[in-house]
Amino acid sequence: MQFKSVLQEYEKRGNILKHNLGEKSQCKLYEMESTEGKPFVLRVYDHPVEAYATLEARSCPHIPKVIKTDLIDDIFVVEEKFIDGVSLWEMISGGTRMEEKRATEIMNRHITMRLQFQWITQINL
């Protein structure tokens, strides 16, 4: 099954594709709307990422809540909470100027998040 087929499967279930958010860290990202009208992010990988199954049962600061993980015909999908706003990447690529203090806070949070994510993937919960 191709990534496009996964989107078609989600649309068959009544979800609506809102935006293609691009590619990041070996996955494709989509903003979706659930049958209840709630937005969520759909991450689509061509391989399982065990950390998401771990995060599904936990809540970690600075990491979006994982709602659900699934394996659809060898394609690993992650549904996570949609957080509205401009991402750091959008801000940088859009040329928006940011105060140095704010940029440092965001980068520190990002580094902390990545370290937490790596720690979670290495422990047996």
Side-chain angles (χ1 to χ4, degrees), residues 8-34:
Q8 290 170 344
E9 177 64 29
Y10 265 79
E11 287 176 332
K12 278 184 200 175
R13 296 177 186 177
N15 298 293
I16 300 168
L17 172 63
K18 300 292 281 185
H19 300 286
N20 181 340
L21 299 174
E23 294 185 34
K24 182 178 180 181
S25 301
Q26 304 174 346
C27 77
K28 294 189 185 267
L29 294 163
Y30 303 96
E31 179 187 345
M32 305 290 291
E33 185 176 296
S34 71

Side-chain angles (χ1 to χ4, degrees), residues 15-119:
N15 298 293
I16 300 168
L17 172 63
K18 300 292 281 185
H19 300 286
N20 181 340
L21 299 174
E23 294 185 34
K24 182 178 180 181
S25 301
Q26 304 174 346
C27 77
K28 294 189 185 267
L29 294 163
Y30 303 96
E31 179 187 345
M32 305 290 291
E33 185 176 296
S34 71
T35 55
E36 296 85 26
K38 295 181 181 178
F40 67 94
V41 172
L42 181 68
R43 292 178 177 269
V44 183
Y45 292 87
D46 62 0
H47 61 281
V49 182
E50 292 180 27
Y52 283 111
T54 302
L55 288 171
E56 188 175 3
R58 296 179 57 94
S59 182
C60 296
H62 311 299
I63 298 177
K65 173 71 178 141
V66 174
I67 301 165
K68 177 183 171 185
T69 60
D70 200 359
L71 194 60
I72 303 173
D73 292 337
D74 296 326
I75 301 293
F76 186 72
V77 295
V78 177
E79 294 178 22
E80 66 182 31
K81 182 179 178 183
F82 177 78
I83 300 172
D84 195 14
V86 178
S87 71
L88 181 59
W89 174 252
E90 291 170 327
M91 200 173 281
I92 291 169
S93 61
T96 303
R97 181 143 175 89
M98 182 186 304
E99 292 180 21
E100 183 178 342
K101 181 179 177 184
R102 177 77 175 132
T104 302
E105 289 171 359
I106 291 170
M107 289 307 299
N108 286 339
R109 195 172 338 139
H110 179 73
I111 291 167
T112 301
M113 176 188 71
R114 296 295 285 177
L115 290 172
Q116 287 175 337
F117 188 76
Q118 288 175 345
W119 178 76

